[in-house]
Amino acid sequence: MKYLKAFVSLAATLGLVYVLSRPLGPAPALGPFLSPFTGFSQNGEGLVTSDNETLLKLNGLKDEVMIRYDDAGVAHIFAKNDFDLFYAQGFVTAKDRLWQMDLQIRAASGRLSEVLGKATLQLDQQSRRLGMGYGAEANLKIAMQNPHSREALLGYTAGVNAYINQLAPKNYPIEFKLLGYQPEAWKPINTMYMLEQMTLTLAGRSNELNMSNLLKKYGKAVVDDLFPDYPMFQESPIIPAGTKWDFKPLKVQKSNKIFQYNDSISPAKQTIAALSKRTPKEEGVGSNNWAVSAEKSITGYPILANDPHLELTLPSIWYQVQLHSPSMNVYGVSLPGIPSVIIGFNQQVAWGVTNTDADVYDLYKIKFKDDSRNEYWHNNQWKPTKKRIENIYIKGQKEPLREEIIYTHHGPVTETDSSSGKYPELAIKWIGHEAGNSFLTFYELNKAKNYDDYRKALTFYVGPAQNFVFADNSKNIAITVNGKLPLKYKEQGKFLLDGSNAADDWQGWIPAEQNPFVKNPKRGFVSSANQSSTDPSYPYYINWVFAPTERGVRINERLNAMSQANADSLRMLQNDNFSVLARNILPKLLSTLKSATLTPAQKAAAITLANWNYQNSPESIATSIFEEWAPMLMGQIWNDEFGENLEYPTRDRTLFMILKQPNAKWFDNIKTPEKETLQSLAENSFKASLDTLHARHGAMSKSWQWSNVKGTEIRHLSRSLKPFNAPALHVGGGRSIVNAITKRNGPSWRMVVELGPVPRAYGIYPGGQSGNPGSPYYLNLLKKWENGELNELVYLLSPDQQNARMTSTILLQKP
């Protein structure tokens, strides 16, 4: 019997070892992950102590590099040449963010399924069909021909790989262990994929299918009325209204007619994600930036601020770094995977960016000659297509999934409409496919000394189009709507375009020097918040719709009134919670309730709104009521006639109708026998919004406070590893607010720079420098960000400069 027990015990042990050594579906083998020698327990980190110095011998360096760390975990890199500078940047970024870099590159290049299996196959197909690889390859070819970008890419790549090569499996970031795979060598093209991914995030949406459906259903007169090309109620454009355009514009050929499509168009199963987002772009993905003149500043020099609004993640989208070499001394934030500083400052200049939202993503209806798709009709002739084979490898499958993507001169043919047969018929023309070297813009800004350097740097930029704000020690301030902006006739791309008609092709590019810009305006400041680039006098077409204007209006109101400004003045503006939207519309909405029959609870809610100061503070209950009521009212106005596969009129147009056209026919719900009015819709939506809040949060009480109702959360990039998420946050702000914190988006980096002989700068993002949840630098910046505070940034002028906040040093040397 004892032998039987021993055999059973041995069999059970061997079985357990076998189970723990085998992957469980998409999950890794548990044995290696739980191992005390190589598993997750090896990922803990301690706080860096002062006077700690480490020497590392690394292949590929040209000279010695010094990396000094401050108490926030930020690396300050001092190199004797630019190759080593970017080598060290790649090394330290990989040290803190290796899994983030790997994940983002896999997402952009369509390779998630290699490590995650079938669950991410559709995402990979979307990336391949959109032509992310095509764009990355085209950009890499251009970048490698320039000595500066080539040196940066090769240096950065060598540094990332130097870090990967010295990693033992026990030191892999925890996510690699959880998913059961290992880091792979970095390649220069990965940087191009990162640029493609950012272009997709900021300029990868299309609404022309919905707009074409509207045109077919209602006709041009109704579309022109409800979807105007410039806001009707309120706007405060980026380039001040009335600015004179000192150039002779190029002539733009107009199409003879709008392309009319016979059938209603709806996305099919093959639709890529970017095209399937038919709802308006979520507010909170945008940005603010501004600069005040020396005359408005207490320091006698300009002050610049920037806070890009993107998805809030752990680790952060951004990575702080200082880069010092004989050619530059720059501090700011980089994007992990891209050498240089993207938003930042040096001793002479500062700059920041917001998204322009230019229309650089158009859809074309393609007519193929036959099912072979070898030829398509364009400009009265059959033209050959090109075919690109995409092989998608899937974890657990021996053979890759093979896809054939058809390319026309417009771009990849990736979407099937409802009328098509077997094959996609809609091609994408997108700025992400335009070959260029946008890296040079940031490289040149990193070492810029004045306004002329800034303007020169912008000439290299392709996209996505950005509003580049600028300030320098010569006391200049400026803002430029910048990027390669296609030369298009008015409203070209507002509707589906005819892929057969040469007149619907992009006609070239707006000359860079004719892109909208303003330098040292009389009002004493420049600013942008993703609103309209210009007033209608600008002679070129950029887009017909931009972000709602409320943030821009509020920023400009406060900057107009500002004097004797300092860095804290601009920090407070970044945290401004005032609702211009509520100021505009709430008095009218409350007036509609005066004759309504309300319960005591509903009356209490109305009184709470009437007493509101329009501040979206974390504790505000009125904010929660308004932020539930306003979108519900908009839905009740438009849902009956602008439902599936149609576009909603803009918020500005809706406000104009509510405030200026209270008897408009659109208030009536055509699906009910009664005739609805603004008053009845406002009353019904008010009661419905209170019912919604009650169902989710109980009776009106502290549980209705805005921070609780909004529920801002910062998730780990995996989306599924909840223990790695940030704790619950107590923050205000919201859509249309300068402090644009929504549930999952918001200020991903806040920066304020006081220019002067030695700049003083302040900045913060939610989270920390490290992507390791076991590191003290994973969440160390979160509380200050939550409170609206900024850290003073350590800007060193030399490698031996003494500063009490410096904690440790790493020396990189050749073997």
Coordinates of all heavy atoms in Angstrom, one line a residue, residues 538-616:
Y538 N -10.3 82.6 -44.1 CA -9.1 81.8 -44.6 C -9.4 81.2 -45.9 O -10.5 80.5 -46.1 CB -8.7 80.8 -43.5 CG -7.5 80.0 -43.9 CD1 -6.2 80.6 -44.0 CD2 -7.5 78.6 -44.1 CE1 -5.1 79.9 -44.3 CE2 -6.4 77.9 -44.4 CZ -5.1 78.5 -44.5 OH -4.0 77.8 -44.8
P539 N -8.6 81.3 -46.9 CA -9.0 80.9 -48.3 C -8.9 79.4 -48.6 O -9.3 79.0 -49.7 CB -8.0 81.7 -49.2 CG -6.8 81.8 -48.3 CD -7.3 82.0 -46.9
Y540 N -8.4 78.6 -47.7 CA -8.3 77.2 -47.9 C -9.3 76.4 -47.0 O -9.6 76.9 -45.9 CB -6.9 76.7 -47.7 CG -5.9 77.2 -48.6 CD1 -4.9 78.1 -48.1 CD2 -5.9 76.9 -50.0 CE1 -3.9 78.6 -49.0 CE2 -4.9 77.4 -50.8 CZ -3.9 78.3 -50.3 OH -3.0 78.8 -51.2
Y541 N -9.6 75.2 -47.4 CA -10.5 74.3 -46.6 C -9.6 73.4 -45.8 O -8.8 72.7 -46.3 CB -11.3 73.5 -47.6 CG -12.2 72.4 -46.9 CD1 -13.3 72.8 -46.2 CD2 -11.9 71.1 -47.0 CE1 -14.1 71.9 -45.6 CE2 -12.7 70.1 -46.4 CZ -13.8 70.5 -45.7 OH -14.6 69.6 -45.1
I542 N -9.8 73.4 -44.4 CA -9.1 72.5 -43.5 C -10.1 71.4 -43.0 O -9.7 70.3 -43.0 CB -8.5 73.3 -42.3 CG1 -7.5 74.3 -42.9 CG2 -7.9 72.4 -41.3 CD1 -6.9 75.2 -41.8
N543 N -11.2 71.8 -42.6 CA -12.3 70.9 -42.2 C -13.6 71.7 -42.0 O -13.6 72.9 -41.9 CB -11.9 70.2 -40.8 CG -12.6 68.8 -40.7 OD1 -13.5 68.5 -41.4 ND2 -12.1 68.0 -39.8
W544 N -14.7 71.0 -41.9 CA -16.0 71.6 -41.7 C -16.4 71.6 -40.3 O -17.3 72.3 -39.9 CB -17.0 71.0 -42.6 CG -17.4 69.6 -42.3 CD1 -16.9 68.5 -42.7 CD2 -18.5 69.3 -41.4 NE1 -17.5 67.4 -42.1 CE2 -18.5 67.8 -41.4 CE3 -19.5 70.0 -40.7 CZ2 -19.5 67.1 -40.6 CZ3 -20.5 69.2 -40.0 CH2 -20.4 67.8 -39.9
V545 N -15.8 70.7 -39.5 CA -16.2 70.6 -38.1 C -15.0 70.4 -37.2 O -14.0 69.7 -37.6 CB -17.2 69.5 -37.9 CG1 -16.6 68.1 -38.2 CG2 -17.8 69.4 -36.5
F546 N -14.9 71.1 -36.1 CA -13.8 71.0 -35.1 C -14.4 70.7 -33.8 O -15.6 70.5 -33.6 CB -13.0 72.3 -35.1 CG -12.3 72.6 -36.4 CD1 -13.0 73.2 -37.4 CD2 -11.0 72.2 -36.6 CE1 -12.4 73.5 -38.6 CE2 -10.4 72.4 -37.8 CZ -11.1 73.1 -38.8
A547 N -13.6 70.6 -32.7 CA -14.1 70.4 -31.4 C -15.0 71.5 -31.0 O -14.8 72.7 -31.4 CB -12.9 70.3 -30.4
P548 N -16.0 71.2 -30.1 CA -16.8 72.3 -29.6 C -16.0 73.4 -28.9 O -14.9 73.2 -28.4 CB -17.7 71.6 -28.5 CG -17.7 70.2 -29.0 CD -16.4 69.9 -29.6
T549 N -16.5 74.6 -29.0 CA -15.7 75.8 -28.7 C -15.6 76.2 -27.2 O -14.8 77.1 -26.9 CB -16.3 77.0 -29.5 OG1 -15.3 78.0 -29.5 CG2 -17.6 77.5 -28.9
E550 N -16.3 75.5 -26.4 CA -16.4 76.1 -25.0 C -15.0 76.2 -24.3 O -14.8 77.2 -23.6 CB -17.3 75.2 -24.1 CG -18.8 75.3 -24.5 CD -19.2 74.4 -25.6 OE1 -18.4 73.5 -26.0 OE2 -20.4 74.5 -26.1
R551 N -14.2 75.2 -24.5 CA -12.9 75.3 -23.8 C -12.1 76.5 -24.4 O -11.5 77.3 -23.6 CB -12.0 74.0 -24.1 CG -12.4 72.9 -23.1 CD -11.4 71.7 -23.3 NE -11.6 71.1 -24.6 CZ -10.6 71.0 -25.5 NH1 -9.4 71.5 -25.3 NH2 -10.8 70.4 -26.7
G552 N -12.1 76.7 -25.7 CA -11.4 77.8 -26.3 C -12.0 79.1 -25.8 O -11.2 80.1 -25.5
V553 N -13.3 79.3 -25.7 CA -13.9 80.5 -25.2 C -13.5 80.8 -23.8 O -13.1 82.0 -23.5 CB -15.5 80.4 -25.3 CG1 -16.1 81.5 -24.5 CG2 -15.9 80.4 -26.8
R554 N -13.5 79.8 -22.9 CA -13.1 80.0 -21.5 C -11.7 80.4 -21.4 O -11.3 81.4 -20.7 CB -13.4 78.8 -20.7 CG -13.0 78.9 -19.2 CD -13.8 80.0 -18.5 NE -13.5 80.0 -17.1 CZ -13.9 80.9 -16.2 NH1 -14.6 82.0 -16.7 NH2 -13.6 80.8 -14.9
I555 N -10.8 79.7 -22.1 CA -9.4 80.1 -22.1 C -9.1 81.5 -22.5 O -8.4 82.3 -21.9 CB -8.6 79.1 -22.9 CG1 -8.5 77.7 -22.3 CG2 -7.1 79.5 -23.1 CD1 -8.1 76.6 -23.2
N556 N -9.7 81.9 -23.6 CA -9.5 83.2 -24.1 C -10.1 84.3 -23.2 O -9.5 85.4 -23.1 CB -10.1 83.3 -25.6 CG -9.3 82.5 -26.6 OD1 -8.1 82.1 -26.3 ND2 -9.8 82.3 -27.7
E557 N -11.2 84.0 -22.6 CA -11.8 85.0 -21.6 C -10.8 85.2 -20.5 O -10.5 86.4 -20.1 CB -13.1 84.4 -21.0 CG -14.3 84.5 -22.0 CD -15.5 83.8 -21.4 OE1 -15.4 83.2 -20.3 OE2 -16.6 84.0 -22.0
R558 N -10.3 84.2 -20.0 CA -9.4 84.3 -18.8 C -8.0 84.9 -19.2 O -7.5 85.7 -18.5 CB -9.1 83.0 -18.1 CG -10.4 82.5 -17.4 CD -10.1 81.4 -16.3 NE -9.1 81.9 -15.4 CZ -8.7 81.1 -14.4 NH1 -9.2 79.9 -14.2 NH2 -7.7 81.5 -13.5
L559 N -7.5 84.5 -20.4 CA -6.2 85.1 -20.8 C -6.4 86.6 -21.1 O -5.5 87.4 -20.9 CB -5.7 84.4 -22.0 CG -5.2 82.9 -21.7 CD1 -4.7 82.3 -23.0 CD2 -4.1 82.9 -20.7
N560 N -7.5 87.0 -21.7 CA -7.8 88.4 -22.0 C -7.8 89.2 -20.7 O -7.3 90.4 -20.7 CB -9.2 88.6 -22.7 CG -9.1 88.7 -24.2 OD1 -8.2 89.4 -24.7 ND2 -10.0 88.0 -24.9
A561 N -8.3 88.7 -19.6 CA -8.4 89.4 -18.4 C -7.1 89.3 -17.6 O -7.0 90.0 -16.6 CB -9.6 88.9 -17.6
M562 N -6.2 88.5 -17.9 CA -5.0 88.2 -17.1 C -4.0 89.3 -17.3 O -3.7 89.7 -18.4 CB -4.5 86.8 -17.5 CG -3.4 86.2 -16.5 SD -2.9 84.5 -17.0 CE -4.4 83.6 -16.7
S563 N -3.3 89.6 -16.2 CA -2.1 90.5 -16.2 C -1.2 90.0 -15.0 O -1.7 89.4 -14.1 CB -2.6 92.0 -16.0 OG -3.2 92.1 -14.7
Q564 N 0.0 90.4 -15.1 CA 1.0 90.0 -14.1 C 1.0 88.5 -13.8 O 1.0 88.0 -12.7 CB 0.7 90.8 -12.8 CG 0.8 92.3 -12.9 CD 2.3 92.7 -13.1 OE1 3.1 92.5 -12.3 NE2 2.5 93.3 -14.3
A565 N 0.9 87.8 -14.9 CA 0.8 86.3 -14.9 C 2.1 85.7 -14.4 O 3.2 86.2 -14.8 CB 0.3 85.8 -16.2
N566 N 2.0 84.6 -13.7 CA 3.2 83.8 -13.4 C 2.8 82.3 -13.7 O 1.7 82.0 -14.2 CB 3.6 84.0 -12.0 CG 2.6 83.6 -11.0 OD1 1.6 82.9 -11.3 ND2 2.8 84.0 -9.7
A567 N 3.7 81.4 -13.4 CA 3.5 80.0 -13.7 C 2.2 79.5 -13.0 O 1.4 78.7 -13.6 CB 4.7 79.2 -13.4
D568 N 2.0 80.0 -11.8 CA 0.8 79.5 -11.0 C -0.5 80.0 -11.6 O -1.5 79.3 -11.6 CB 0.9 79.9 -9.6 CG 0.1 79.0 -8.7 OD1 0.3 77.7 -8.8 OD2 -0.7 79.5 -7.9
S569 N -0.4 81.2 -12.3 CA -1.6 81.7 -12.9 C -2.1 80.7 -14.0 O -3.3 80.4 -14.2 CB -1.4 83.0 -13.6 OG -0.8 83.9 -12.6
L570 N -1.1 80.2 -14.8 CA -1.4 79.3 -15.9 C -1.7 77.9 -15.4 O -2.6 77.2 -16.0 CB -0.3 79.2 -16.9 CG 0.2 80.6 -17.5 CD1 1.0 80.4 -18.7 CD2 -1.0 81.5 -17.8
R571 N -1.1 77.5 -14.3 CA -1.5 76.2 -13.7 C -3.0 76.2 -13.2 O -3.7 75.3 -13.4 CB -0.6 75.9 -12.5 CG -1.0 74.6 -11.7 CD -0.3 74.6 -10.3 NE -0.9 75.6 -9.4 CZ -2.1 75.4 -8.8 NH1 -2.8 74.3 -8.9 NH2 -2.5 76.4 -8.0
M572 N -3.4 77.4 -12.6 CA -4.8 77.5 -12.2 C -5.7 77.5 -13.4 O -6.8 76.9 -13.3 CB -4.9 78.7 -11.4 CG -4.2 78.7 -10.0 SD -4.2 80.3 -9.2 CE -6.0 80.5 -8.8
L573 N -5.3 78.0 -14.5 CA -6.2 78.0 -15.7 C -6.3 76.6 -16.2 O -7.3 76.1 -16.7 CB -5.6 78.9 -16.8 CG -6.3 79.0 -18.1 CD1 -7.8 79.2 -17.9 CD2 -5.8 80.1 -19.0
Q574 N -5.2 75.8 -16.2 CA -5.3 74.4 -16.6 C -6.3 73.6 -15.8 O -6.9 72.7 -16.2 CB -3.9 73.8 -16.5 CG -2.9 74.2 -17.5 CD -1.5 73.6 -17.3 OE1 -1.1 73.2 -16.2 NE2 -0.8 73.4 -18.4
N575 N -6.5 74.0 -14.5 CA -7.4 73.4 -13.6 C -8.8 74.0 -13.6 O -9.6 73.7 -12.7 CB -6.8 73.3 -12.2 CG -5.7 72.3 -12.1 OD1 -5.9 71.1 -11.9 ND2 -4.4 72.7 -12.3
D576 N -9.0 74.9 -14.5 CA -10.3 75.6 -14.5 C -11.5 74.7 -14.7 O -11.5 73.9 -15.7 CB -10.3 76.7 -15.6 CG -11.5 77.6 -15.5 OD1 -12.6 77.2 -15.9 OD2 -11.4 78.8 -15.1
N577 N -12.5 74.7 -13.9 CA -13.6 73.8 -13.9 C -14.9 74.5 -14.4 O -16.0 73.9 -14.3 CB -13.9 73.2 -12.6 CG -12.9 72.0 -12.3 OD1 -12.4 71.4 -13.2 ND2 -12.6 71.9 -11.0
F578 N -14.8 75.8 -14.9 CA -16.1 76.5 -15.2 C -16.7 76.0 -16.5 O -16.0 75.7 -17.5 CB -15.7 78.0 -15.4 CG -16.9 78.8 -15.6 CD1 -17.7 79.3 -14.6 CD2 -17.3 79.2 -16.9 CE1 -18.8 80.1 -14.8 CE2 -18.4 80.0 -17.2 CZ -19.2 80.4 -16.1
S579 N -18.0 75.8 -16.5 CA -18.8 75.3 -17.6 C -19.4 76.4 -18.4 O -20.4 77.0 -18.1 CB -19.9 74.3 -17.1 OG -20.6 73.9 -18.2
V580 N -18.8 76.7 -19.6 CA -19.3 77.7 -20.5 C -20.6 77.1 -21.1 O -21.6 77.9 -21.3 CB -18.3 78.0 -21.6 CG1 -18.9 78.9 -22.7 CG2 -17.1 78.8 -21.0
L581 N -20.7 75.8 -21.3 CA -21.9 75.2 -21.8 C -23.1 75.5 -20.9 O -24.1 75.8 -21.4 CB -21.6 73.7 -22.0 CG -22.8 72.9 -22.5 CD1 -23.3 73.4 -23.9 CD2 -22.5 71.4 -22.6
A582 N -22.9 75.3 -19.6 CA -24.0 75.5 -18.7 C -24.3 76.9 -18.7 O -25.5 77.3 -18.6 CB -23.5 75.0 -17.3
R583 N -23.4 77.8 -18.7 CA -23.7 79.3 -18.7 C -24.5 79.6 -19.9 O -25.5 80.5 -19.8 CB -22.4 80.1 -18.7 CG -22.6 81.6 -18.7 CD -21.3 82.3 -18.7 NE -20.6 82.1 -20.0 CZ -19.3 82.6 -20.2 NH1 -18.6 83.2 -19.3 NH2 -18.8 82.4 -21.4
N584 N -24.2 79.0 -21.0 CA -25.0 79.3 -22.3 C -26.4 78.8 -22.3 O -27.3 79.5 -22.8 CB -24.2 78.7 -23.5 CG -23.0 79.5 -23.8 OD1 -22.8 80.6 -23.5 ND2 -22.1 78.8 -24.5
I585 N -26.6 77.6 -21.8 CA -27.9 76.9 -22.0 C -28.7 76.7 -20.8 O -30.0 76.6 -20.9 CB -27.6 75.6 -22.7 CG1 -28.9 75.0 -23.4 CG2 -27.0 74.5 -21.8 CD1 -28.7 73.7 -24.2
L586 N -28.1 76.6 -19.6 CA -28.9 76.2 -18.4 C -30.0 77.2 -18.1 O -31.2 76.8 -17.7 CB -28.0 76.0 -17.2 CG -28.7 75.4 -16.0 CD1 -29.4 74.1 -16.3 CD2 -27.7 75.2 -14.8
P587 N -29.8 78.5 -18.1 CA -30.9 79.4 -17.8 C -32.2 79.1 -18.7 O -33.3 79.2 -18.2 CB -30.4 80.8 -18.1 CG -28.9 80.6 -17.8 CD -28.6 79.3 -18.3
K588 N -31.9 78.9 -20.0 CA -33.0 78.6 -20.9 C -33.7 77.3 -20.5 O -35.0 77.2 -20.5 CB -32.5 78.5 -22.3 CG -33.6 78.1 -23.4 CD -34.6 79.2 -23.5 CE -35.6 78.8 -24.7 NZ -36.6 79.9 -24.8
L589 N -32.9 76.3 -20.2 CA -33.5 75.0 -19.8 C -34.3 75.1 -18.5 O -35.4 74.5 -18.4 CB -32.4 73.9 -19.7 CG -31.7 73.6 -21.0 CD1 -30.7 72.4 -20.7 CD2 -32.6 73.3 -22.1
L590 N -33.8 75.8 -17.6 CA -34.5 76.0 -16.3 C -35.8 76.7 -16.5 O -36.8 76.4 -15.8 CB -33.7 76.7 -15.3 CG -32.5 75.8 -14.7 CD1 -31.6 76.7 -13.8 CD2 -33.0 74.6 -13.9
S591 N -35.8 77.6 -17.4 CA -37.1 78.4 -17.7 C -38.2 77.5 -18.2 O -39.4 77.8 -18.0 CB -36.8 79.5 -18.7 OG -36.6 79.1 -20.0
T592 N -37.8 76.4 -18.9 CA -38.8 75.5 -19.4 C -39.5 74.7 -18.3 O -40.5 74.1 -18.6 CB -38.2 74.5 -20.5 OG1 -37.3 73.7 -19.8 CG2 -37.5 75.3 -21.6
L593 N -38.9 74.6 -17.2 CA -39.4 73.8 -16.1 C -40.4 74.6 -15.2 O -41.0 74.0 -14.3 CB -38.3 73.3 -15.2 CG -37.2 72.4 -15.9 CD1 -36.2 71.9 -14.9 CD2 -37.9 71.2 -16.5
K594 N -40.5 75.9 -15.4 CA -41.3 76.7 -14.5 C -42.8 76.3 -14.5 O -43.4 76.4 -13.4 CB -41.2 78.2 -14.9 CG -39.9 78.8 -14.6 CD -39.8 80.3 -15.0 CE -38.4 80.9 -14.7 NZ -38.3 82.3 -15.1
S595 N -43.3 75.8 -15.6 CA -44.7 75.4 -15.6 C -44.8 73.9 -15.6 O -45.9 73.3 -15.7 CB -45.3 75.9 -16.9 OG -44.7 75.4 -18.1
A596 N -43.7 73.2 -15.3 CA -43.8 71.7 -15.3 C -44.3 71.2 -13.9 O -44.2 71.9 -12.9 CB -42.4 71.1 -15.5
T597 N -44.9 70.1 -13.9 CA -45.4 69.4 -12.7 C -44.2 68.5 -12.2 O -43.9 67.5 -12.8 CB -46.6 68.6 -12.9 OG1 -47.6 69.4 -13.5 CG2 -47.1 67.9 -11.6
L598 N -43.7 68.9 -11.1 CA -42.5 68.2 -10.5 C -42.8 67.7 -9.1 O -43.5 68.3 -8.3 CB -41.3 69.2 -10.4 CG -40.9 69.9 -11.7 CD1 -39.7 70.9 -11.5 CD2 -40.4 68.9 -12.8
T599 N -42.1 66.6 -8.8 CA -42.2 66.0 -7.5 C -41.3 66.8 -6.6 O -40.4 67.6 -7.1 CB -41.8 64.5 -7.5 OG1 -40.4 64.5 -7.8 CG2 -42.6 63.7 -8.5
P600 N -41.4 66.6 -5.3 CA -40.5 67.3 -4.4 C -39.0 67.1 -4.7 O -38.2 68.0 -4.6 CB -40.9 66.8 -3.0 CG -42.4 66.5 -3.1 CD -42.5 65.9 -4.5
A601 N -38.7 65.8 -5.0 CA -37.3 65.5 -5.3 C -36.9 66.2 -6.6 O -35.7 66.7 -6.7 CB -37.1 64.0 -5.5
Q602 N -37.8 66.3 -7.6 CA -37.4 66.9 -8.8 C -37.3 68.4 -8.6 O -36.4 69.1 -9.2 CB -38.5 66.6 -9.9 CG -38.5 65.2 -10.3 CD -39.7 64.8 -11.1 OE1 -40.7 65.5 -11.1 NE2 -39.7 63.6 -11.7
K603 N -38.1 69.0 -7.8 CA -38.0 70.4 -7.5 C -36.7 70.7 -6.8 O -36.0 71.7 -7.1 CB -39.2 70.9 -6.6 CG -40.5 71.0 -7.3 CD -41.6 71.4 -6.3 CE -43.0 71.5 -7.0 NZ -44.1 71.8 -6.1
A604 N -36.3 69.8 -5.9 CA -35.0 70.0 -5.2 C -33.9 70.0 -6.2 O -32.9 70.8 -6.0 CB -34.8 68.9 -4.1
A605 N -33.9 69.1 -7.1 CA -32.9 69.1 -8.2 C -32.9 70.3 -9.0 O -31.8 70.9 -9.3 CB -33.1 67.8 -9.0
A606 N -34.0 70.9 -9.3 CA -34.1 72.1 -10.1 C -33.5 73.3 -9.3 O -32.8 74.1 -9.9 CB -35.5 72.4 -10.5
I607 N -33.8 73.3 -8.0 CA -33.3 74.4 -7.2 C -31.8 74.3 -7.1 O -31.0 75.3 -7.1 CB -33.9 74.3 -5.8 CG1 -35.4 74.7 -5.9 CG2 -33.2 75.2 -4.8 CD1 -36.2 74.5 -4.6
T608 N -31.3 73.0 -7.0 CA -29.8 72.8 -6.9 C -29.2 73.3 -8.2 O -28.1 74.0 -8.1 CB -29.5 71.3 -6.8 OG1 -30.1 70.8 -5.6 CG2 -28.0 71.0 -6.8
L609 N -29.8 73.1 -9.3 CA -29.2 73.7 -10.6 C -29.3 75.2 -10.6 O -28.4 75.8 -11.1 CB -30.0 73.1 -11.8 CG -29.6 71.7 -12.2 CD1 -30.6 71.2 -13.3 CD2 -28.2 71.6 -12.7
A610 N -30.4 75.7 -10.1 CA -30.6 77.2 -10.2 C -29.5 77.9 -9.3 O -29.2 79.0 -9.6 CB -32.0 77.6 -9.7
N611 N -29.1 77.2 -8.3 CA -28.1 77.8 -7.3 C -26.7 77.5 -7.7 O -25.7 77.9 -7.0 CB -28.4 77.3 -5.9 CG -29.7 77.9 -5.4 OD1 -30.1 78.9 -5.7 ND2 -30.3 77.1 -4.5
W612 N -26.5 76.8 -8.8 CA -25.1 76.3 -9.2 C -24.3 77.5 -9.7 O -24.8 78.4 -10.4 CB -25.3 75.3 -10.3 CG -24.1 74.6 -10.8 CD1 -22.9 74.3 -10.1 CD2 -23.9 74.1 -12.1 NE1 -22.0 73.7 -10.9 CE2 -22.6 73.5 -12.1 CE3 -24.7 74.0 -13.2 CZ2 -22.1 72.9 -13.3 CZ3 -24.2 73.4 -14.4 CH2 -22.9 72.9 -14.4
N613 N -23.0 77.5 -9.4 CA -22.1 78.5 -9.9 C -21.4 78.1 -11.2 O -20.4 78.7 -11.6 CB -21.0 78.8 -8.8 CG -20.2 77.6 -8.4 OD1 -20.4 76.5 -9.0 ND2 -19.3 77.7 -7.5
Y614 N -21.8 77.0 -11.8 CA -21.3 76.5 -13.1 C -19.9 75.9 -13.0 O -19.2 75.8 -14.0 CB -21.3 77.6 -14.2 CG -22.6 78.2 -14.5 CD1 -22.7 79.6 -14.8 CD2 -23.8 77.5 -14.5 CE1 -24.0 80.2 -15.0 CE2 -25.0 78.0 -14.7 CZ -25.1 79.4 -15.0 OH -26.3 80.0 -15.3
Q615 N -19.5 75.6 -11.8 CA -18.2 75.0 -11.6 C -18.3 73.5 -11.5 O -19.1 73.0 -10.6 CB -17.5 75.5 -10.3 CG -17.2 77.0 -10.3 CD -15.9 77.3 -11.1 OE1 -15.1 76.4 -11.4 NE2 -15.8 78.5 -11.5
N616 N -17.6 72.8 -12.4 CA -17.6 71.3 -12.3 C -16.6 70.8 -11.3 O -15.7 70.1 -11.6 CB -17.2 70.8 -13.7 CG -18.4 70.7 -14.7 OD1 -19.3 71.5 -14.6 ND2 -18.4 69.8 -15.6

